[in-house]
């Protein structure tokens, strides 16, 4: 993991806090199961004996005509996952007088990349995508904004929240 951040609390605007953090995370030897389609493709392209060894054909040489033809896809430490982007955290608190306060808070992420390497030679950048390869949606931009009125009456606060997720496309 490589990350760094900047924090601002300007004296000219008391109650304002801004944090900006960059992150770059890489996981090597991630536990993955080799996708059978990729195994067939990589065997055909490279002829690698380890990759081709996962392919078990039936007596007729087929993978699909009987249950004896299959591709081994058990979990192994063969993958890699990496992600990078920028996190933003901004808040502003303002006294309204009479014991009331207004709090404005926002957190956001700008996702630069979200790469999955399920097996050697195959890498997908899933930023902005979801589906059969990328699975869960990974929007390139997302944020949450809260406006909270802390009333002068004990135990009563009102919050309005807005969550936004950028569009994602099917992989």
């Amino acid at each position: 993991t490589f990350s760094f951040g900047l924090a601002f609390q300007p004296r000219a605007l008391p109650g304002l806090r801004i944090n900006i953090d960059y992150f770059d995370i890489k996981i090597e030897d991630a536990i993955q199961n080799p996708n059978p389609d990729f195994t067939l493709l990589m065997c055909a392209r490279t002829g690698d004996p380890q990759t081709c060894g996962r392919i078990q054909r039936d007596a007729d040489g087929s993978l699909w005509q009987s249950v004896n033809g299959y591709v081994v896809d058990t979990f192994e430490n063969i993958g890699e996952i990496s992600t990078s982007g920028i996190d933003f955290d901004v808040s502003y608190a303002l006294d309204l007088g009479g014991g009331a306060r207004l709090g404005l808070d926002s957190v956001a992420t700008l996702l630069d990349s979200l790469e999955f390497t399920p097996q050697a030679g195959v890498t997908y950048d899933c930023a902005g995508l979801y589906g059969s390869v990328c699975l869960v949606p990974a929007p390139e931009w997302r944020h949450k904004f809260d406006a909270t009125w802390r009333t002068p009456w004990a135990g009563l606060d009102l919050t309005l929240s807005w969550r936004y997720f950028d569009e994602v496309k099917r992989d």
Side-chain angles (χ1 to χ4, degrees), residues 134-165:
C134 295
L135 303 177
V136 299
E140 292 177 337
W141 175 261
R142 65 180 180 238
H143 71 254
K144 183 176 184 242
F145 175 79
D146 291 331
T148 301
W149 174 37
R150 292 169 184 89
T151 69
W153 307 289
L156 179 62
D157 293 345
L158 300 174
T159 299
L160 176 66
S161 292
W162 172 36
R163 289 178 49 175
Y164 174 80
F165 294 87

Side-chain angles (χ1 to χ4, degrees), residues 9 13-17 91-105 146-154 156-160:
Q9 289 184 300
L13 272 170
L16 177 63
R17 179 187 50 80
S91 66
Y92 183 64
L94 177 67
D95 281 324
L96 299 177
R101 290 178 60 88
L102 177 64
L104 305 173
D105 301 289
D146 291 331
T148 301
W149 174 37
R150 292 169 184 89
T151 69
W153 307 289
L156 179 62
D157 293 345
L158 300 174
T159 299
L160 176 66

Side-chain angles (χ1 to χ4, degrees), residues 71-93:
V71 177
V72 177
D73 65 350
T74 56
F75 286 99
E76 302 174 41
N77 293 84
I78 58 170
E80 185 175 289
I81 303 168
S82 64
T83 185
S84 65
I86 302 172
D87 286 330
F88 302 91
D89 182 358
V90 178
S91 66
Y92 183 64

Side-chain angles (χ1 to χ4, degrees), residues 32 80-82 114-118 122-126 133-134:
Q32 304 275 355
E80 185 175 289
I81 303 168
S82 64
L114 178 60
E115 294 182 347
F116 293 95
T117 303
V122 180
T123 298
Y124 293 99
D125 187 352
C126 290
V133 174
C134 295

Side-chain angles (χ1 to χ4, degrees), residues 22-44:
Y22 171 79
F23 60 89
D24 189 345
I25 302 167
K26 183 184 232 179
I27 301 171
E28 296 175 351
D29 295 326
I31 298 172
Q32 304 275 355
N33 64 322
N35 182 298
D37 293 336
F38 301 137
T39 298
L40 292 169
L41 175 67
M42 295 310 289
C43 176

